[in-house]
Amino acid sequence: MATSRRRWFTVALLLLVVASLWRGLASRAWRLPPLPATPGTPYAAPPDDDFIWRRLKHRYPVTSLRPLPTAGADALPGVQAHFAAEAPERKQQRLQRRDAIRAAFVKSWTAYKEHAWLRDEVTPVTGQQKDTFGGWGATLVDSLDTLWIMDLGADFEAAVDAAHRSISFATTQAHTVNVFETTIRFLGGLLSAYDLSGDARLLAKARDVGHMLYAAFDTPNHLPVTRWDLHAAARGEAQAAHASTLLAEMGSLGLEFTRLSLVTGDARYHDAVQRIAELLAAAQPATKVPGLWPILVDAAAEDFDAGADYALGGMADSAYEYLPKMAALLGQGAGLYADMYARSVEASRAHLFFQPLTPTGEAMLFPGVLHASVTDGLVETRLETSAGHLICFTGGMLALGGRLLANATHLDWAAKLTRGCLWAYDSLPTGVMPETSLLAACPDAASPCAWDESVWHAAVARAQPPGEARATIRDQRLPPGFAHIPDPRYILRPEAIESVFLMYRTTGDPRWQDRAWAMWTAIDALTSTPLANSAVWDVNTPAGEAPAKADSMESFWLGETLKYFYLIFSEPGLVSMDEWVFNTEAHPFRRLRGGTVGV
C-alpha cells in the first residue's frame, strides 16, 4: 500500500510538470485542464510550521466527524443544452464580442497591477489602493481563475507566485473578518484556480485559509461566528455564535468547505457545513413561512426562524443558491440539498413571486420580500414588491435546478425571472438596473396583466411621501412600472448577467447572447474610466448627463461580472456546466462524479 501511494504521488508530480509545460503551448478553447487530486489519492500536506491556525488548540473540538461525501447514485440530467452548428458570420461576431470583454478585463487587471498590487482593491478613477477584505489581495485572488479561463498565462503565473509568496492568512489589520466573504472570495478563488490549473501552491494556500476559517467554528454549538474577531480567537479567547446572524452568511459556506474536504481528504470542513445544512433542513417545514427561512437567524440558539422577513435577495440569497449547487457538486438528484431546494422554490412561488405591471405586459416575474407577523398564534404576511439587483441570480438558480431535477416548470419560471431583470435594465435611461427599486405589481402573479396607469400611480403614492403621483414620477424620472428607486447605484454587480449566462447554457438559444451584449455595451458606456470601470451613483440621471463615478471597483468585477460576460461569448465547452459548478463568487469547482472528483 505504501508503495502504491508513492507511485501515485510520483505520477501526480509528473502530471503537474507536464501540465505546466503544456499550459503555454496551445489554445485552451477546447482543452481540458489537468485533473487535480481525487479522494483516495494521497495529498502531501505542508508541514505544520509556525502557521498559527495549524497550531491553535480548539476549546470545543469536534470528536466525531461526518464521513466525506461520495457521488450520489443518481445519474443527474445534463445541465448544458445541445448547441446547434454556428454560422461563420455568427461565430465571427461572437469572438469579436468575447475579445472585447477580454480587453476590458485586461484594462482593469492592469490598473490593479500598476496601482494596488497585493492590496484588496484599486480605485478606478483616482488609481489609489484600499483594503476592504482583510488586506489579503482580494482582487488578485478573486481574479485567479478568470486569468486562467481567459488564457492570460503570464499574469496567472505572476499572480499565483505572489499569492504563494506574499499573502499570509496568519493575521490581518482588520478588526473583524467576514467569514462568508472570506470563504467565497479567498477560499473559493484559490480552490477554483487549483481545480482549473492543478497548481499545488494554490491548494496549499487554500488549506491555510481553511485552517483559519475553521477556527471560527470553535464555539459551544460548533456554528461559526460570522463577523469574527480573528485576533481574539488567535489569543485563545472563548467565542460563541451570534444571536443575530444573516441567513446568507450562515448558509453559504457549503460549496467551498465541502470542496476543500474533497481535495484534501480532511473531513472536518465538510462536517462543519453539513451540520448547518441539517439544522436548516430540520427547521424548513416549521418556519412561519414553511419552506423558507427568515433573513435573520439566531445561530447561538440554533433558531432558524428568528426573524420576520423572508426573501431570496440580499442577506439571504446565496443560502438558497447553494441548495441546487450542492446537489450538483455532489451528484445528488435527491436527498438533503435537492429536497430543500425543491421546497424553497415551491414556497417562493406561493409567497414571493409577483408579476410586475409593465407597458408591454410581457410574462415576467420578480421575487419580493415577505413581511410576517404573528398575532394570537396566527401568521399574517405582507408582500413588498421590491426588485433589488441581488435577486437577479434567481433566474440562473432555477435554470440550474430545473435542469438537475428535470423540472420544466422551474425552467419556465427561470426564463420569466431573467426577463424581469432584463426589463429593469431596459427601463432605465442608462440601460442598467438600479441597486434597489419598488415596482407596481399585477394582482395575479400567475398571468400578465394589461397596463393600467392608475394602478401605477397608486403604487407610486403608496411608496412615496405624500404628494401627487404625476409630479413624483416627473421629478424622480420614474420609468413606467417603477414606484420608487431608493438606491439608484450600479456597483458593477454580476447577478443579471449570471442568469443570462445560465439561460444561454441551459437552452442554447443565441438570443440570450444578444441580450448579454446589449447589457455589456450599456454597462461599459456607463462605468468605463481611463483606468478601469467604476461603480456609479445614479443610473437614473437625466438624458445627456454622465452619472457621477463612485471610484469603487469591487473584486467581483473581475472575478464574476467579466467572467460571465466572457464565458457567454466563449465556446460552450469552456467550463461546461455538466462538469463544473460555480460558487456565489463565480468560482467554478469540479463536480463530484462517479465517486471521484472531476472524473
Side-chain angles (χ1 to χ4, degrees):
M1 183 63 72
T3 301
S4 176
R5 285 198 296 267
R6 285 195 294 270
R7 184 181 302 118
W8 277 107
F9 182 67
T10 302
V11 170
L13 286 177
L14 288 173
L15 286 174
L16 288 177
V17 172
V18 171
S20 179
L21 292 173
W22 174 246
R23 189 176 301 143
L25 298 179
S27 169
R28 189 179 300 114
W30 291 99
R31 172 165 53 83
L32 291 176
L35 288 175
T38 64
T41 300
Y43 166 67
D48 287 328
D49 51 15
D50 60 349
F51 187 62
I52 182 174
W53 304 109
R54 278 195 283 278
R55 291 188 286 105
L56 189 70
K57 300 296 183 183
H58 282 210
R59 284 175 171 262
Y60 309 101
V62 178
T63 56
S64 178
L65 298 176
R66 292 160 178 80
L68 278 172
T70 58
D74 307 329
L76 291 181
V79 174
Q80 296 222 146
H82 295 289
F83 290 84
E86 191 175 29
E89 61 274 14
R90 181 77 187 188
K91 180 177 181 180
Q92 181 182 14
Q93 180 191 64
R94 175 179 60 77
L95 293 178
Q96 288 172 345
R97 292 173 172 180
R98 181 201 67 182
D99 292 345
I101 304 299
R102 188 178 189 268
F105 176 90
V106 169
K107 176 184 171 184
S108 293
W109 175 252
T110 300
Y112 174 73
K113 284 195 302 181
E114 294 181 353
H115 298 281
W117 187 243
L118 290 174
R119 304 293 291 275
D120 284 338
E121 296 174 17
V122 63
T123 54
V125 176
T126 56
Q128 301 300 307
Q129 51 190 230
K130 61 180 179 179
D131 289 330
T132 47
F133 293 102
W136 292 315
T139 294
L140 186 154
V141 176
D142 239 358
S143 302
L144 285 169
D145 53 7
T146 314
L147 291 165
W148 176 270
I149 288 167
M150 292 187 180
D151 206 12
L152 295 167
D155 282 295
F156 177 79
E157 292 295 341
V160 172
D161 185 69
H164 172 66
R165 295 177 182 273
S166 303
I167 297 177
S168 171
F169 293 94
T171 190
T172 175
Q173 293 189 7
H175 296 299
T176 58
V177 170
N178 186 313
V179 168
F180 162 72
E181 295 286 0
T182 305
T183 298
I184 65 171
R185 297 179 193 238
F186 294 100
L187 183 56
L190 291 163
L191 283 173
S192 177
Y194 168 70
D195 264 359
L196 287 161
S197 70
D199 193 314
R201 294 172 296 175
L202 294 164
L203 183 54
K205 192 62 67 172
R207 183 172 175 263
D208 284 353
V209 182
H211 270 293
M212 176 189 69
L213 292 172
Y214 190 65
F217 289 77
D218 185 22
T219 63
N221 64 359
H222 301 299
L223 294 184
V225 185
T226 55
R227 303 299 176 99
W228 181 42
D229 186 342
L230 175 152
H231 309 285
R235 294 191 296 267
E237 296 179 15
Q239 55 188 13
H242 294 155
S244 183
T245 301
L246 295 179
L247 175 64
E249 294 183 351
M250 181 61 57
S252 309
L253 311 173
L255 280 172
E256 298 81 4
F257 274 62
T258 298
R259 188 65 186 144
L260 182 60
S261 281
L262 289 171
V263 295
T264 62
D266 188 338
R268 60 182 148 168
Y269 308 111
H270 170 67
D271 173 80
V273 292
Q274 190 72 1
R275 181 178 290 105
I276 298 172
E278 290 165 2
L279 289 169
L280 286 169
Q284 189 180 24
T287 65
K288 289 183 287 293
V289 185
L292 302 174
W293 303 277
I295 292 172
L296 281 177
V297 300
D298 184 344
E302 299 182 6
D303 180 359
F304 284 83
D305 194 33
D309 300 324
Y310 298 77
L312 298 182
M315 301 178 289
D317 43 11
S318 47
Y320 293 99
E321 174 190 355
Y322 272 27
L323 300 177
K325 290 186 172 182
M326 282 296 291
L329 178 71
L330 300 177
Q332 298 172 353
L336 186 71
Y337 294 103
D339 293 349
M340 281 196 286
Y341 162 74
R343 286 194 293 267
S344 70
V345 172
E346 292 305 317
S348 297
R349 182 65 181 89
H351 298 288
L352 300 181
F353 290 177
F354 69 92
Q355 165 80 25
L357 178 72
T358 68
T360 64
E362 183 182 8
M364 62 185 74
L365 293 171
F366 280 99
V369 178
L370 192 72
H371 305 289
S373 60
V374 180
T375 304
D376 297 328
L378 297 176
V379 178
E380 298 178 349
T381 61
R382 176 179 63 85
L383 181 65
E384 175 187 295
T385 54
S386 56
H389 199 289
L390 282 169
I391 60 90
C392 287
F393 83 96
T394 53
M397 176 181 71
L398 267 73
L400 174 64
R403 293 288 286 188
L404 290 172
L405 302 187
N407 188 313
T409 302
H410 289 197
L411 295 173
D412 177 61
W413 295 342
K416 291 176 180 177
L417 288 160
T418 306
R419 285 199 297 268
C421 289
L422 289 173
W423 166 77
Y425 265 70
D426 292 341
S427 297
L428 274 293
T430 54
V432 180
M433 180 182 181
E435 180 74 357
T436 63
S437 54
L438 294 173
L439 304 177
C442 294
D444 180 10
S447 59
C449 60
W451 173 251
D452 187 332
E453 191 169 276
S454 65
V455 174
W456 174 34
H457 287 189
V460 172
R462 287 193 301 270
Q464 302 282 330
E468 202 273 323
R470 292 181 184 277
T472 300
I473 291 168
R474 182 192 65 241
D475 295 344
Q476 298 184 14
R477 302 178 300 280
L478 293 176
F482 283 71
H484 185 35
I485 302 179
D487 188 346
R489 296 176 300 155
Y490 174 63
I491 62 172
L492 308 177
R493 286 204 185 277
E495 287 77 19
I497 185 57
E498 174 185 359
S499 285
V500 173
F501 163 74
L502 279 160
M503 289 304 303
Y504 172 64
R505 285 290 186 91
T506 55
T507 66
D509 188 341
R511 288 177 294 184
W512 291 110
Q513 290 178 309
D514 295 332
R515 298 303 301 268
W517 184 248
M519 291 171 64
W520 168 251
T521 55
I523 288 171
D524 193 45
L526 178 69
T527 65
S528 182
T529 76
L531 286 177
N533 291 79
S534 173
V536 297
W537 290 113
D538 190 349
V539 299
N540 196 28
T541 53
E545 289 188 17
K549 301 290 195 296
D551 201 15
S552 172
M553 186 179 77
E554 281 206 48
S555 65
F556 56 63
W557 171 247
L558 290 93
E560 294 189 73
T561 311
L562 291 174
K563 184 187 297 164
Y564 282 128
F565 273 115
Y566 182 83
L567 285 173
I568 201 172
F569 297 118
S570 298
E571 289 80 2
L574 182 61
V575 196
S576 167
M577 301 301 297
D578 291 331
E579 300 172 10
W580 301 83
V581 61
F582 289 82
N583 85 336
T584 195
E585 193 74 3
H587 296 308
F589 301 150
R590 286 189 183 274
R591 291 172 56 182
L592 184 63
R593 302 166 68 190
T596 58
V597 180
V599 175

